[in-house]
Amino acid sequence: MALFFFLIFAFCTGPGFLESSPKVRLVSGPHRCEGRVEVERNGEWGTVCDDGWNMKDVEVVCRELGCGAAKGTPTGNLYKPLADEKQKIFIQEVNCSGTEDQLINCDQLEDVYDCSHSEDAGAICEKTVRLVGGPGRCKGRLEVKHQEQWGTVCKAGWNLSAAKVVCRQLGCGKATLIKRCCNKDTQGQGLIWLSNVSCSGQEENLHYCLSGLEGNNNCTHDEDTWVECEDPFELRLVNGDTNCSGRLEVLHKGIWGSVCDDGWGTKEEQVVCRQLGCRRPIFVPAKLRRKFAPGDGRIWLDDVHCKGHEQSLEQCQHRSWGYHDCNHKEDVVVFCSEAQPDI
């Protein structure tokens, strides 16, 4: 019964029932449930000063993001790239009881004083979804964690929309394959936590999706769900004066290729600069951009569209690999300001 109420609550407080998406995020960490804390105000993201920051505050952040239990309160400076010096610090002296649903409901000071980005707050929340038994963290048998135990997910009702949510939650690329798992060597053991999972595909976290109950399915481990996502993009900027400027290339199937500039703009450049550990995009006139020699191999991506807050380029919309209507005169060139050295 505990899982029933957990799932009903998660569904009813999911994106379709909330007035807006979470006003907090964790950036520059290894996954969406760990990183430097940022809060949103009037469409702008700013950091949180760590004065008074503690585990009760992290508990609220983890709850708001739909992550697992709070695990740590690291300094935000552990996560590179560091916050841009021009980014605002929005709040300090946060004081949560630990029971609030959103960080905005906690006592806090919005008039920040005597605080710099060296005091940015961080948070570590437990991961509650994983793919195991595959050739990497983005392919494998799907498992979810509940009541401190990992269990599998039944394939009954599973579809590509649900897989999209898992891939997004794990910080992987696009969902490419779902199938019933597994042979005897790779199938799960123990609990089968979920069945008949129903997602729109837009949820940030699997627990926002409606699901059947543990103990109320006829599944066996022959029906465990297997999910495959694209690996996170590997990027580089080539032929520039630094690692933070040059023609953009992405790695796919072991081959580097360029990106077409159809629809390319500042928001896409923000994501690239962030992913490469650089700082903000720099405006450079088209004449100077054209000095870069065009690529001569594959053109991997076209029609890339980002919102600007993504942590890596694979989280942005784009055409399928290799599909484009471009030539190398349209290769994307990116200029970012260089990251500040560690002090």
Side-chain angles (χ1 to χ4, degrees), residues 41-60:
R41 182 188 296 167
N42 298 323
E44 182 180 3
W45 290 93
T47 62
V48 176
C49 182
D50 66 3
D51 290 351
W53 187 255
N54 59 35
M55 285 294 287
K56 290 184 178 180
D57 307 322
V58 176
E59 286 175 10
V60 177

Side-chain angles (χ1 to χ4, degrees), residues 20-27 32 36-48 61 64-65 83-91 102-103 117 120 204 267 270 274 280 307-311:
S20 61
S21 57
K23 299 295 185 181
V24 65
R25 66 184 183 186
L26 301 177
V27 302
R32 65 177 295 276
R36 184 173 60 254
V37 183
E38 292 187 352
V39 294
E40 188 266 341
R41 182 188 296 167
N42 298 323
E44 182 180 3
W45 290 93
T47 62
V48 176
V61 169
E64 183 171 356
L65 290 174
D84 192 286
E85 59 186 8
K86 296 181 180 179
Q87 186 178 18
K88 295 178 181 178
I89 303 171
F90 277 158
I91 56 177
Q102 295 180 305
L103 195 66
H117 282 306
D120 284 341
E204 290 294 326
K267 291 181 178 179
Q270 288 173 348
R274 181 181 300 119
R280 292 186 173 190
K307 296 178 181 178
H309 60 72
E310 296 89 348
Q311 293 303 301

Side-chain angles (χ1 to χ4, degrees), residues 142-189:
L142 175 61
E143 294 188 349
V144 297
K145 192 173 188 179
H146 179 62
Q147 295 179 345
E148 299 301 317
Q149 296 186 74
W150 288 98
T152 62
V153 177
C154 182
K155 180 67 170 61
W158 189 264
N159 59 28
L160 197 60
S161 293
K164 288 179 181 178
V165 177
V166 170
C167 295
R168 182 183 303 117
Q169 187 172 348
L170 291 174
C172 300
K174 295 172 65 175
T176 58
L177 178 69
I178 56 173
K179 65 179 182 179
R180 190 168 74 177
C181 180
C182 302
N183 60 42
K184 295 295 183 182
D185 294 329
T186 57
Q187 68 182 213
Q189 298 179 355

